[in-house]
Amino acid sequence: MKAKGNALSCMLVFFMLAFQSLGQTTATPLTWNSYFDDDELRIELAEAQRADSANGIFNNYLLIRITNKTDSEVDVSFQKQLSYNMQPSASDAMQPLRLQAHETLTGSVDPSTDKTLRIFVNQYAGMNKKVLTGYSLTNISSTTVIR
C-alpha cells in the first residue's frame, strides 16, 4: 500500500510540473502565420499563452504583428470582428497605430501592455468560460503621414 501511495504522489508531482510547464510556452519562439499582405502592410498572427501559475490560470491569445513595408511613416487602422461562444461581440475600432518606415509592431501577452495587438482566445483552469469561436480583422487601411 505504501509503494502505491508513493507512486501516486510521484505521478501527481509529475502532472503538476507538466501542467506548470504548459504555461511557459510564451518563452518559446512563436509561429507567425500571414493574415494580410499587400504592397504596404503585412499582418501576421501567432498563438501564445500567458501563465499565471500562482493562480492556476492560463490565458490563450492570438497576437498580431504589423509590418510597414514602405519607406514612409504610416498610420494603420483596422477593426476586430470577434465572436465568443458563437455570439458576435461588438466590433472594436482600433485607434490608428503609427509605424515608422519598415517598422514592425508586435502584440504581447503581458497584461500591462496595450490590448490593441492581441485577441483573447480562451482560459484554461479559470472561471472565464468565454471562448473565441470566430475572428476577422476588417477595414484594414494605411495612410501615409505627411509632414
Side-chain angles (χ1 to χ4, degrees), residues 6 10 19 44 48 54-57 59 61 63 79 85 92 94 99 104 129 132:
N6 286 340
C10 288
F19 189 70
E44 300 164 289
N55 294 312
I57 297 172
N59 289 330
Y61 297 96
L63 299 182
Q79 285 185 294
N85 302 334
D92 293 330
M94 300 292 113
L99 281 80
T104 298
K129 302 301 181 201
L132 182 70

Side-chain angles (χ1 to χ4, degrees), residues 53-131:
S53 300
N55 294 312
I57 297 172
F58 303 88
N59 289 330
N60 293 303
Y61 297 96
L62 281 177
L63 299 182
I64 302 168
R65 179 166 68 183
I66 301 175
T67 302
N68 175 2
K69 296 166 43 176
T70 71
D71 294 329
S72 304
E73 184 179 25
V74 296
D75 283 337
V76 176
S77 61
F78 58 90
Q79 285 185 294
K80 294 180 190 175
Q81 302 282 335
L82 309 175
S83 294
Y84 288 97
N85 302 334
M86 305 301 285
Q87 299 295 317
S89 66
S91 65
D92 293 330
M94 300 292 113
Q95 294 295 323
L97 301 167
R98 183 155 291 177
L99 281 80
Q100 300 302 313
H102 302 286
E103 181 181 13
T104 298
L105 294 179
T106 304
S108 171
V109 297
D110 184 343
S112 66
T113 61
D114 183 5
K115 297 192 292 185
T116 301
L117 297 177
R118 76 171 170 258
I119 298 170
F120 177 80
V121 174
N122 66 358
Q123 184 178 82
Y124 289 129
M127 298 303 294
N128 191 336
K129 302 301 181 201
K130 185 164 87 168
V131 175

Side-chain angles (χ1 to χ4, degrees), residues 18-39:
F19 189 70
Q20 275 188 323
S21 68
L22 178 69
Q24 306 308 317
T25 58
T26 55
T28 62
L30 299 174
T31 301
W32 292 96
N33 298 298
S34 181
Y35 181 83
F36 175 88
D37 203 343
D38 69 9
D39 292 340

